[in-house]
């Protein structure tokens, strides 16, 4: 208790004894900054992941247009394939669909490896032959990332330089050898009489046309001429011809018109030798078919061995199956078709038949060369302005129209060929 009262006394009398609170004393300076200590990073051995590698493809150009090109000329262009990835580009195959005029030059062996940065050049060729559009499309199959299938395309179309019409006239025959082969079997009396009655008109037509003619007559069972040749100088040529065709009906019933003509014209054993510069016409008159031993092609080959194709004609006056005649003359008609001759109906008026034969005095050529190089597919043929739809074709190699059926042309018509033509190819 004495301590308590003593402590209380000191507190009450603290000024007198020099005792005070510490508010009047400056606080000691204390550095409160915390010292920053830098700890070096811990070094760890972590492996760096490798860069991702890939194959990539670039094609230039993707699409190419040849545009309008001259027909029959050749054009080329290149496609460059570049490997732009970080690993080799492997081309497994090409799939190329195209029209015939387009093509890929050269052959390629697969697979094709292209290192990064390497290139492959593909050359495409265009040889246009018509006026029809052409297209090509190629797929390139490879290991390119995101482009396993790369497509390239190209196209073009041919154009002509202009249009032209070539005109041809047939050469008129001024020298003609005519061999009549008359059927003298038992059924031919009326037909022979019809020929004889019109003999004068036939000769007059030849005379009027100014033809230098030589007429010989044989039968279907004998190659021997029944008279001397009848010419413009023959005295009363019309009567001589009329008498020559009246052969009677006592001949063989096995008619061999082609064979008798062959024997009569044989260069060694035959008794009729055609003039070298004259056209040669064989005219068979029969109401039955032919029983000659060889084929039509064999006789055709013989006839063309003694006379140029343009100067030989095999005419048939036979039964065509229209109501008269013993049998149709199919084999004779076939030979007429082969040689470009005519086939006439023996049942028709004889004046018309002989007039047609007399006026067939033109050399019908089979080849018509064009003055400019034609565009195939544009060639058209006309006779006096009327389209000729068949019996001919255009031959590219010779740049000519080839007439397959000379029987389509009488001779006095204008033969016209219209076509688109080509210019020179650019250098």
């Amino acid at each position: 208790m004495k301590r308590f009262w003593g402590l209380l006394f000191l507190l009450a009398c603290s000024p007198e004894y020099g005792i005070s609170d510490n508010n009047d004393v400056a606080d000691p300076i204390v550095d409160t900054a915390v010292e920053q200590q830098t700890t070096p990073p811990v070094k760890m051995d972590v492996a760096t992941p490798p860069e991702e590698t890939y194959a990539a493809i670039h094609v230039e150009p993707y699409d190419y247009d040849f545009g309008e090109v001259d027909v029959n000329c050749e054009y080329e262009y290149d496609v460059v394939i570049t490997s732009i990835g970080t690993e080799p580009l492997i081309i497994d195959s090409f799939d190329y669909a195209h029209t015939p005029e387009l093509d890929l030059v050269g052959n390629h062996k697969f697979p094709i490896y292209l290192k990064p940065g390497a290139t492959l050049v593909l050359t495409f060729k265009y040889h246009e032959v018509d006026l029809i559009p052409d297209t090509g499309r190629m797929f390139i199959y490879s290991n390119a990332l995101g482009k396993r299938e790369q497509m390239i395309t190209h196209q073009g179309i041919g154009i002509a330089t202009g249009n032209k019409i070539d005109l041809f006239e047939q050469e008129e025959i001024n020298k003609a050898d005519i061999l009549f082969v008359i059927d003298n079997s038992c059924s031919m009396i009326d037909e022979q009489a019809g020929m004889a009655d019109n003999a004068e008109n036939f000769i007059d037509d030849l005379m009027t046309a100014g033809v230098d003619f030589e007429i010989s007559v044989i039968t279907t069972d004998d190659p021997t001429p029944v008279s001397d040749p009848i010419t413009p100088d023959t005295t009363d040529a019309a009567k001589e011809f009329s008498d020559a065709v009246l052969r009677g009906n006592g001949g063989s019933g096995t008619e061999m018109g082609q064979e008798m003509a062959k024997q009569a014209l044989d260069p060694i054993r035959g008794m009729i030798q055609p003039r070298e510069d004259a056209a040669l016409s064989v005219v068979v008159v029969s109401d039955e078919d032919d029983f000659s031993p060889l084929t039509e092609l064999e006789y055709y080959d013989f006839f063309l061995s003694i006379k140029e194709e343009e100067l030989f004609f095999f005419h048939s006056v036979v039964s065509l199956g229209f109501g008269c005649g013993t049998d149709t003359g199919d084999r004779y008609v076939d030979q007429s078709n082969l040689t470009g001759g005519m086939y006439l109906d023996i049942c028709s008026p004889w004046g018309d038949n002989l007039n047609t034969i007399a006026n067939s005095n033109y050399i019908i050529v089979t080849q018509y060369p064009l003055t400019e190089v034609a565009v195939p597919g544009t060639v058209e043929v006309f006779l006096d302005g009327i389209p000729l739809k068949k019996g001919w074709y255009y031959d590219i190699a010779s740049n000519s129209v080839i007439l397959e059926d000379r029987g389509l042309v009488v001779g006095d018509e204008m033969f016209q060929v219209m076509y688109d033509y080509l210019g020179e190819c650019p250098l």
Side-chain angles (χ1 to χ4, degrees), residues 316-325 343-350 353:
S316 305
V317 184
V318 297
S319 173
L320 300 179
F322 301 139
C324 68
Y343 50 90
L344 306 171
D345 189 1
I346 198 171
C347 306
S348 298
W350 267 102
N353 284 338

Side-chain angles (χ1 to χ4, degrees), residues 13 68 71-72 123 188 219 240 255 290 320 328 334 374 427:
C13 297
E68 295 181 338
V71 177
N72 279 354
T123 299
M188 282 291 296
T219 63
E240 289 290 331
E255 295 88 342
D290 191 21
L320 300 179
T328 56
D334 288 343
L427 299 176

Side-chain angles (χ1 to χ4, degrees), residues 7 14 28-29 39 75 85-86 109 116 119 125 149 162 167 264 268 291 314 318 324 326 348 361 371 397:
L7 179 62
S14 57
I29 297 173
T39 303
Y75 300 83
T86 58
K109 185 178 180 180
T119 61
K125 181 171 65 176
E149 181 183 283
L167 305 178
I268 299 175
F291 295 96
F314 190 99
V318 297
C324 68
T326 305
S348 298
N361 53 341
T371 56

